[in-house]
Amino acid sequence: MMIYAKDIIDICNGQLICGNLDLECINFCKDTREINKGDIYVGIKGESFNGNIFYKEAIEKGAEICILDNDTEIEDKYKNGECTIILVDDTVTCLQKLAKYKRDLYNIPVVAVTGSVGKTSVKDIISSVLSFKYNVLSTKGNFNNEIGLPLTVLGLNDSHDILVVEMGMSSFGEIHLLSNIARPTIAVITNIGTAHIGNLGSRENILKAKLEILDGMNSGTLIINNDNDMLKTVKYNNLITIGIENDSDYMAHDIYEKIFSSSFYINDNYVEIPVGSRAFIYNSLFAFAVGKKLGLSEDEISDSLRKFKLTPHRLELIKTSKIDIIDDTYNASFDSVKNSLELLSKVDNRKVFIFADILELDVFGECIHTDIGNVVLDNNIDVLITVGSLSKYTYDVVNNKDKECYYFENNDKLLENIDRILDDGDMVLVKGSNGMKLIDVVNYLKDKYE
């Protein structure tokens, strides 16, 4: 089941500048650096760039179709070329309409994942489990917004048995839009925390925004974390619950946690996972519930969980000649920081925490970073290294308890001093919001002590 160039005209009220309307639209791409011969290039206009102006580069790299905003000026020589060029009112809206049309061509299960923290990890582990039996199309990385999700859906083809998508948001209406494009048959909400609380004002509003995932779902299944104080209040006709503490449909018990692995039972089924974080026990519960719903046996699910591999930069252990690094730089929220510190607390080595700001907290930034200071103390972290304006509040809490701690305004200042702080044998956890670019610190340490 395919989309053709002529469908772009019909669905998006497009204007054909030149080319062949009978061409199949197989692979959509918004980045000329990733264009391959035969791709459909979509020019996206952002706040600081205009992808439409790169249509010539896309054509030179072999793009077969270019979808561009209708105010794009096309040079005459390209109007008579082999590439099909279609102008639309808005390329992002066009992508969304095409994705909704493509989704409606397929009668397959669609699993949608959202939540304040853990979306990508849960999406990944669900996809890994389902791939034991099915051909799964899954969101790449965190392509979870109004552009990334449509691009994922547009990747559907007849070989796919199941679609697994991640849905992110920072304000009301965003997940409503995504849900109506993907039309999930199973929705998963990992938790309700404080991510984006600066935009939404309260956890109650975050819950309301996350529940928009139901807007595109017609009597499907909702799976929630029953240990989350906000989610356990949710009422829904077709509800499945997972948990450790509160009575749930799928429960983990007899938990034995090592530093980088865990074993436990899910109901009566023994499970091992190659991750030591309590958060990944919850992730495994979600994967178990989805796997059972979609026809996998307990043994198939347990086997796939045992073989699961983490996404890079999520609790990724890196061994060097001097120190061991836990690279958790993918992103950060209060809950994920707490989970990572609980993992770090289990090691016998000197425990070093390099922490940068959690972003998008607005007026809640001071109190949340202050709370993280108390979490650092509760987990007996030996050395705290902070970078960024908000992490100064974390530093102040720990410094007041006469703990070894350091504060730096930026990564450059940190890197100027890091060598004199670290000792042989240290276990170093590195975590902060992606925008704080702590991956640069990880790469420096890897190169320095390889």
Side-chain angles (χ1 to χ4, degrees):
M1 291 175 279
M2 297 300 303
I3 291 178
Y4 295 88
K6 60 187 177 184
D7 294 320
I8 303 170
I9 302 293
D10 295 339
I11 296 167
C12 305
N13 192 29
Q15 175 191 354
L16 178 67
I17 299 301
C18 58
N20 181 3
L21 288 179
D22 292 323
L23 291 174
E24 293 181 346
C25 302
I26 297 174
N27 186 54
F28 289 76
C29 182
K30 66 178 180 67
D31 190 338
T32 55
R33 295 169 297 183
E34 300 173 1
I35 283 282
N36 294 308
K37 186 175 177 59
D39 284 355
I40 296 86
Y41 176 67
V42 184
I44 304 293
K45 188 181 296 181
E47 293 182 2
S48 58
F49 68 95
N50 182 1
N52 291 281
I53 67 176
F54 298 111
Y55 75 90
K56 291 178 284 186
E57 181 180 346
I59 293 172
E60 289 164 4
K61 289 187 173 183
E64 199 165 50
I65 300 173
C66 285
I67 305 173
L68 308 171
D69 284 329
N70 58 17
D71 60 355
T72 306
E73 295 185 8
I74 309 299
E75 293 184 15
D76 288 341
K77 70 174 183 178
Y78 292 100
K79 293 179 181 179
N80 301 311
E82 294 182 0
C83 181
T84 296
I85 299 177
I86 298 173
L87 302 185
V88 296
D89 290 338
D90 181 84
T91 53
V92 173
T93 302
C94 176
L95 264 184
Q96 294 165 357
K97 289 180 177 179
L98 291 174
K100 190 174 189 303
Y101 174 79
K102 186 73 173 282
R103 163 65 180 98
D104 290 344
L105 297 176
Y106 290 84
N107 184 24
I108 61 173
V110 176
V111 182
V113 180
T114 193
S116 293
V117 65
K119 295 183 292 295
T120 303
S121 298
V122 172
K123 177 262 300 180
D124 286 343
I125 201 167
I126 288 173
S127 300
S128 177
V129 165
L130 295 178
S131 295
F132 190 94
K133 187 172 184 177
Y134 302 109
N135 184 16
V136 178
L137 174 63
S138 177
T139 300
K140 294 180 180 179
N142 64 341
F143 258 38
N144 61 14
N145 63 9
E146 76 281 4
I147 297 170
L149 182 138
L151 285 170
T152 300
V153 174
L154 286 167
L156 275 171
N157 62 51
D158 292 348
S159 73
H160 294 124
D161 303 307
I162 294 174
L163 173 64
V164 180
V165 294
E166 179 182 336
M167 294 183 179
M169 65 93 205
S170 57
S171 58
F172 287 120
E174 294 175 357
I175 289 182
H176 169 85
L177 170 69
L178 302 180
S179 182
N180 278 287
I181 292 170
R183 293 201 302 106
T185 58
I186 299 174
V188 173
I189 306 180
T190 62
N191 49 51
I192 303 299
T194 56
H196 306 298
I197 196 169
N199 293 338
L200 290 162
S202 69
R203 292 180 69 222
E204 288 78 10
N205 280 343
I206 294 172
L207 173 62
K208 185 178 179 181
K210 295 297 185 184
L211 285 172
E212 291 176 2
I213 199 170
L214 303 176
D215 293 353
M217 191 163 71
N218 183 16
S219 67
T221 300
L222 173 63
I223 305 176
I224 62 168
N225 178 351
N226 204 35
D227 289 345
N228 182 266
D229 60 331
M230 302 297 294
L231 285 173
K232 70 181 182 181
T233 67
V234 171
K235 307 298 181 185
Y236 186 73
N237 286 336
N238 194 1
L239 182 69
I240 294 175
T241 57
I242 64 97
I244 298 174
E245 300 166 0
N246 295 321
D247 188 32
S248 304
D249 296 309
Y250 293 95
M251 294 197 69
H253 58 93
D254 294 325
I255 297 170
Y256 179 62
E257 294 180 82
K258 297 181 182 179
I259 298 171
F260 293 105
S261 65
S262 300
S263 63
F264 49 96
Y265 284 84
I266 297 179
N267 295 355
D268 296 326
N269 306 283
Y270 180 72
V271 173
E272 295 177 346
I273 55 173
V275 192
S277 168
R278 179 61 61 102
F280 273 85
I281 298 177
Y282 284 103
N283 296 354
S284 300
L285 284 161
F286 281 121
F288 201 96
V290 173
K292 286 291 293 178
K293 183 70 180 176
L294 293 178
L296 274 73
S297 70
E298 289 89 348
D299 287 344
E300 289 172 332
I301 298 170
S302 297
D303 190 36
S304 57
L305 287 173
R306 179 173 54 83
K307 298 174 180 176
F308 173 70
K309 295 186 182 298
L310 283 168
T311 304
H313 313 303
R314 287 188 177 275
L315 296 175
E316 182 180 2
L317 178 62
I318 301 168
K319 290 184 172 292
T320 75
S321 60
K322 177 175 179 174
I323 60 173
D324 290 338
I325 306 164
I326 303 174
D327 175 4
D328 202 20
T329 58
Y330 191 90
N331 221 332
S333 67
F334 174 81
D335 295 306
S336 66
V337 170
K338 184 173 182 290
N339 288 329
S340 300
L341 285 171
E342 288 172 355
L343 171 65
L344 182 63
S345 72
K346 298 173 187 176
V347 305
D348 295 326
N349 311 54
R350 195 173 76 139
K351 297 174 277 289
V352 179
F353 180 34
I354 300 178
F355 174 55
D357 295 354
I358 300 173
L359 304 177
E360 298 182 340
L361 295 176
D362 198 43
V363 297
F364 300 91
E366 178 178 349
C367 66
I368 287 176
H369 284 79
T370 299
D371 289 344
I372 289 172
N374 291 315
V375 176
V376 171
L377 294 172
D378 291 343
N379 284 281
N380 296 314
I381 305 305
D382 297 303
V383 182
L384 172 68
I385 303 170
T386 59
V387 58
S389 57
L390 289 170
S391 69
K392 180 67 162 55
Y393 297 111
T394 307
Y395 166 85
D396 288 341
V397 171
V398 177
N399 190 50
N400 285 338
K401 296 297 183 180
D402 295 325
K403 291 280 189 176
E404 183 179 353
C405 53
Y406 305 87
Y407 170 73
F408 302 102
E409 293 180 355
N410 53 55
N411 289 346
D412 290 339
K413 293 290 185 183
L414 186 156
L415 293 177
E416 288 173 9
N417 294 274
I418 190 69
D419 296 331
R420 67 176 177 81
I421 299 173
L422 298 180
D423 291 336
D424 288 354
D426 284 350
M427 179 67 77
V428 183
L429 169 65
V430 187
K431 189 167 185 64
S433 281
N434 187 268
M436 297 300 293
K437 301 187 183 304
L438 281 185
I439 187 60
D440 294 341
V441 176
V442 171
N443 290 334
Y444 171 85
L445 293 174
K446 285 168 58 179
D447 294 340
K448 178 77 175 180
Y449 303 119
E450 64 180 353

